[in-house]
Every structure is written in C-alpha cells, then in structure tokens.
C-alpha cells in the first residue's frame, strides 16, 4: 500500500490509543513507519527517526535484534503455541528458570500472562485470594501511591490514580486508598503519612502496590530507595503484602535488573512485562513467593482459577528468556552509559519554562511549567523533534527519552541533542 492508502485506511477504520481522534486526523496525522532497525524507525522515503520512547517503553535492545529474532524463529519452527492447561513445554521452563535466576530473594514461582495490565491483574487476584485462603476475607483494601498508574484493565485501573485516563470510570472501579507520593511530597513527609495510613488500615489491607523508584505514566516522577525500604519493613510487620510493579522498570531500565534491588528489598509479588517481550511480542509474568504459592496448594477450592489463552505462549517464552540474557549482559556497561546520558540532559536546565530535569538509569525527563497531561507544550516540542528525525512522544508537559540499553554514546548524544534543539525552539 502507498502512504496515502495507509493514511486513508487508518483515518477510516483505526481507533488509536490515548488520542483524541479529531486532533489526530486534523492536526497530527500519524507517521507511516515502513521498517525498523536498531534504534531507528524508517518512513517510505527512507528517512530515519530515532526511537526516543523505545516504542512505548518495550524495546530495550533495538528493533530486530538478531538474537531475539533467532530465538523467535527457532521456536516458530518447533512449537508456535500450545495451551498451558495440563501441558507444559521447554520454552516455558527456560523462561521461568531465567526469571527465577534473576528474581529478588524469595520469589520462586512464575505465572505467565500477556501484558503489563494482566501481570498486575494476576498480582492483585493472587493477593486477594491469598488472604481469603488463609481465613482473612476482610482483607480487601489495596493501597497505592498518589499519581500511580498500573494499567488499563478495570482491576489495574482501580489501582491507579490517573484522572485523565480513568476519571470517568468511577462506578466500575473498586475502592482503593492512595498514599502520598514520595516523589511529590518528599520521603519524610510521605512516609510519615503512609505509615499512619498503613497502621490504620492494616486489619483490612490486602496489599500495597508501588511502581518502584519511578512513577512512569504519572510524569516520570522519581523517589528515593529509602521509602521502599521502610515500606517493606512495615508491610512485613503488619502482614500486608507488597507488590512491585516492575512492568516499566524491570530488565535494567533503572540501572539494576530490578528497581527494587536499589532498595535492597524483595517484594511478595513482582510484575514484569514490556522489555520482557523484547520489543517483538506482548508477554508478561507475575513472580510470587513460595508462601503465596503454598496458600493455594492442596484443596480444589483453593486453586488459582485464572488464566489466558496465550498464557506461556512458547514464542513469547523463547523471546523472554533471550531478553533476560541480553539484559544481564548489558548491566556491566550501563553505569558509564547512564552517566553520559545524565550529563547530556543537563543542557535542558538552561532553557526557559523548564521546571525540572530528572533521570534514573536510562530514563530522562524534562518537566515544563504547567499544563498537565493535556498541555500542548510537549506536543509542540514533539512536532519539531519529529521533523528532526526523533520520535519522542511526551506525557503532556513532560518530555522524556528512553535510550535503549545497548545504544552507543554517540547516538545517545544525538537523541538528546535533537530533543534539546526542538525544546529550545519551542520555549524561546
């Protein structure tokens, strides 16, 4: 199809995510991408665009990475798919073993699903049913952070605090309570309030779920590991489960394989997705402790009656095992790459209307003054960056970049420079 035909079919038939379709059609038609290689996306004319958002945070190693493609092709030739109901297969065994080898201490069971939202759904269902199986049916409350985002299925949306996405869904969502965000209130103030809420709600609290160290969709909000350390200690004392949503932060994105490693803690449940699929396939896993698994073991009525048609899809499992290996291999080179990236972001501090510049691992964010998620300022920068050959979709007034873990310093510099020049033009 020619570009015009694709755009016409898109306009007539495709409903895009997180978009006001009128604005998309009238002001900002989607770029037609023909192929991809490494950090580059290419249009029909062969123009390259650096993928500054890692294709919505899922591509940690570059498009069409040869090792990931080889793993996919090998598995495709042997076993593309089978149910995991009464069956098992080598790809699932390899993926599960690879995950447990890198898992925080105490997590030794893997439940596979399809995406970040379902990984979170699995965790909240496990936490709820864990307490019921142990005779604590009154424990139904989930605590989450102010500004949290945990996904788009109704359970995951219930755990979130994003009015722009979920504000109209109130009657469909179950009740949660939000703890002050340490990224917004500071560690000490947030913790003092959180500790009081936790002690108050402990008798009916099922679990606390957090995005460790950085709240992604909330605006790339970063907080200190000390908050996680205190949270882990108090939840353990109170018998409340701790869920780490590492859908975004896992597989090296923050500089360690899991973000919780920087706090030296292990949660009771951990959710992984995005980079786990290698930028090739939707894939997710929820890791659970042996104690949680044991609460479901035995009588038929205690079983975890949950699953998906593509649970432990062999293609996804094969890619995930290879993605884990690639992430582990990338870890030694990350500190130097992270320093180079962080130093490059400092240039943004000199620009007018820049409220803050922050980074964690290979995540960099530039927050502009005011506006929130529906602000136009970030999109004005986006338009100029796209013209320069950089795809960097903003979070409203928050610009961000997610270099791939294996991106060379020269291309990190180029990525940052293209965004900087675009921001300078917009903000002048």
């Amino acid at each position: 199809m020619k570009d015009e035909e694709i755009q016409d079919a898109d306009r007539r038939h495709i409903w895009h995510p997180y978009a006001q379709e009128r604005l998309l059609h009238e002001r900002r038609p989607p770029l037609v991408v023909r192929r991809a290689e490494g950090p580059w996306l290419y249009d029909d004319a062969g123009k390259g665009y650096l993928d500054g958002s890692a294709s919505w945070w899922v591509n940690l190693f570059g498009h069409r990475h040869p090792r990931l493609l080889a793993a996919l092709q090998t598995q495709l030739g042997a076993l593309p798919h089978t149910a995991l109901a009464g069956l098992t297969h080598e790809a699932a065994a390899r993926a599960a073993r690879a995950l447990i080898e890198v898992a925080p201490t105490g997590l030794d069971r893997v439940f596979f699903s399809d995406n970040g939202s379902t990984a979170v759904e699995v965790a909240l269902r496990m936490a709820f049913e864990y307490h019921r199986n142990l005779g604590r049916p009154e424990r139904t409350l989930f605590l989450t952070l102010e500004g949290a985002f945990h996904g788009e299925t109704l359970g995951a949306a219930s755990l979130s605090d994003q009015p722009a996405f979920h504000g109209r869904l109130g009657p469909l969502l179950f009740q949660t309570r939000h703890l002050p965000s340490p990224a917004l209130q500071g560690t000490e103030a947030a913790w003092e309030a959180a500790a009081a809420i936790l002690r108050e709600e402990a008798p009916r609290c099922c679990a606390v779920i957090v995005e460790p160290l950085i709240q992604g969709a909330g605006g790339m909000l970063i907080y200190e590991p000390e908050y996680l350390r205190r949270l882990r200690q108090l939840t353990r004392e109170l018998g409340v489960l701790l869920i780490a949503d590492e859908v975004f932060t896992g597989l090296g994105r923050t500089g360690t394989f899991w973000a919780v490693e920087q706090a030296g803690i292990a949660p009771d449940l951990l959710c992984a997705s995005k980079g786990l699929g290698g930028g090739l396939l939707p894939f997710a896993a929820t890791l659970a402790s042996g104690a949680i698994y044991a609460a479901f073991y035995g009588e038929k009525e205690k079983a975890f009656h949950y699953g998906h048609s593509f649970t432990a899809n062999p293609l996804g499992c094969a890619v995930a095992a290879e993605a884990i290996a690639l992430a582990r291999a990338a870890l030694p080179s990350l500190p130097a790459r992270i320093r180079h990236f962080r130093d490059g972001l400092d240039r943004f501090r000199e620009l007018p209307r820049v409220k803050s510049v922050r980074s964690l691992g290979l995540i960099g964010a530039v927050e502009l003054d005011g506006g929130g998620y529906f602000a136009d300022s970030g999109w004005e920068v986006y338009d100029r960056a796209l013209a320069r050959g950089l795809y960097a979709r903003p979070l409203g007034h928050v610009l961000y970049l997610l270099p791939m873990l294996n991106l060379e310093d020269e291309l990190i510099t180029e990525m940052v420079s293209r965004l900087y020049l675009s921001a300078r033009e917009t903000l002048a």
Side-chain angles (χ1 to χ4, degrees):
M1 298 172 70
K2 295 180 179 180
D3 278 9
E4 295 79 9
E5 294 177 288
I6 295 172
Q7 291 280 15
D8 181 66
D10 181 285
R11 187 166 50 253
R12 290 176 181 273
H13 306 301
I14 296 177
W15 197 336
H16 288 259
Y18 298 105
Q20 171 45 255
E21 293 283 289
R22 180 181 62 82
L23 296 177
L24 191 70
H25 294 157
E26 295 178 4
R27 292 176 49 187
R28 193 171 286 112
L31 175 72
V32 177
V33 177
R34 291 288 183 172
R35 63 184 183 89
E37 188 76 31
W40 297 97
L41 303 168
Y42 293 95
D43 65 16
D44 192 47
K47 179 179 178 179
Y49 301 81
L50 283 166
D51 187 353
S53 64
S55 290
W56 243 349
W57 318 358
V58 304
N59 200 320
L60 295 178
F61 314 108
H63 296 278
R64 301 180 64 245
H65 192 286
R67 284 177 56 179
L68 295 174
L69 289 180
L72 180 62
Q73 290 165 350
T74 299
Q75 188 62 45
L76 186 63
L79 179 65
H81 184 62
T82 182
L84 201 69
L87 305 170
T88 192
H89 52 84
E90 183 178 351
R94 288 184 180 277
R97 187 167 62 185
L99 278 164
I100 296 308
E101 285 177 354
V102 296
T105 302
L107 301 183
D108 58 11
R109 293 287 171 172
V110 179
F111 194 98
F112 293 110
S113 61
D114 301 348
N115 56 68
S117 295
T118 59
V120 170
E121 290 279 344
V122 168
L124 71 89
R125 286 269 294 265
M126 282 182 175
F128 172 74
E129 293 187 37
Y130 164 80
H131 286 293
R132 287 189 66 86
N133 285 352
L134 294 182
R136 299 193 287 258
E138 70 282 358
R139 293 211 172 205
T140 61
L141 178 68
F142 287 87
L143 301 180
T144 73
L145 290 182
E146 164 193 14
F149 179 84
H150 294 290
E152 292 294 12
T153 52
L154 288 177
S158 297
L159 301 174
S160 301
D161 180 33
Q162 290 294 323
F165 303 151
H166 311 130
R168 292 181 291 181
L169 302 179
L172 300 179
L173 308 180
F174 59 76
Q175 183 183 9
T176 59
R177 187 168 178 182
H178 301 298
L179 306 175
S181 168
L184 295 171
Q185 311 296 340
T187 300
E188 294 302 325
W191 175 248
E192 184 176 339
I197 293 170
L198 260 169
R199 290 191 173 96
E200 173 194 346
E201 299 286 14
R204 69 185 189 107
C205 187
C206 177
V208 181
I209 180 169
V210 294
E211 302 158 86
L213 301 188
I214 181 164
Q215 296 177 248
M220 301 298 172
L221 304 173
I222 299 169
Y223 61 94
E224 297 296 324
E226 177 60 24
Y227 182 89
L228 287 181
R229 283 192 283 270
R230 296 181 187 181
L231 185 63
R232 174 68 288 189
Q233 181 177 349
L234 186 55
T235 52
R236 185 175 286 119
E237 290 175 5
L238 298 174
V240 174
L241 297 180
L242 179 62
I243 305 170
D245 179 353
E246 295 250 14
V247 167
F248 172 40
T249 55
L251 278 80
R253 174 56 74 185
T254 65
T256 48
F257 197 95
W258 306 110
V260 293
E261 294 177 34
Q262 297 181 41
I265 67 162
D268 301 293
L269 292 157
L270 184 148
C271 309
S273 188
K274 291 197 181 293
L276 194 61
L280 294 180
L281 294 167
F283 195 75
T286 303
L287 279 60
S289 69
I292 291 178
Y293 179 80
F296 292 83
Y297 199 86
E299 296 85 355
K300 288 182 179 180
E301 60 272 15
K302 288 187 175 182
F304 189 52
H305 290 290
Y306 184 92
H308 294 267
S309 301
F310 277 77
T311 292
N313 166 250
L315 299 178
C317 286
V319 170
E322 194 64 30
I324 292 167
L326 286 172
R328 297 180 74 173
L331 289 176
S333 65
L334 287 185
R337 191 164 284 129
I338 289 167
R339 285 193 299 271
H340 180 79
F341 178 50
R342 184 180 61 235
D343 291 346
L345 292 171
D346 282 341
R347 299 174 64 192
F348 285 88
R349 300 181 192 278
E350 68 191 38
L351 297 178
R353 297 171 53 198
V354 169
K355 182 178 179 181
S356 69
V357 179
R358 49 186 179 263
S359 66
L360 174 67
L362 287 176
I363 306 166
V366 178
E367 183 174 346
L368 309 181
D369 279 337
Y373 183 78
F374 293 114
D376 290 329
S377 54
W379 287 102
E380 293 170 9
V381 177
Y382 167 87
D383 289 336
R384 288 184 166 91
L386 199 64
R388 280 191 167 86
L390 170 67
Y391 173 72
R393 192 179 193 275
L395 290 162
H397 68 302
V398 177
L399 313 174
Y400 70 89
L401 290 172
L402 301 176
M404 294 158 188
L405 303 192
N406 54 357
L407 193 63
E408 300 89 344
D409 284 353
E410 295 79 5
L411 284 177
I412 290 178
T413 298
E414 186 64 28
M415 185 180 286
V416 173
S417 178
R418 293 184 188 191
L419 187 65
Y420 170 80
L421 293 173
S422 303
R424 187 175 69 179
E425 284 181 5
T426 303
L427 302 174

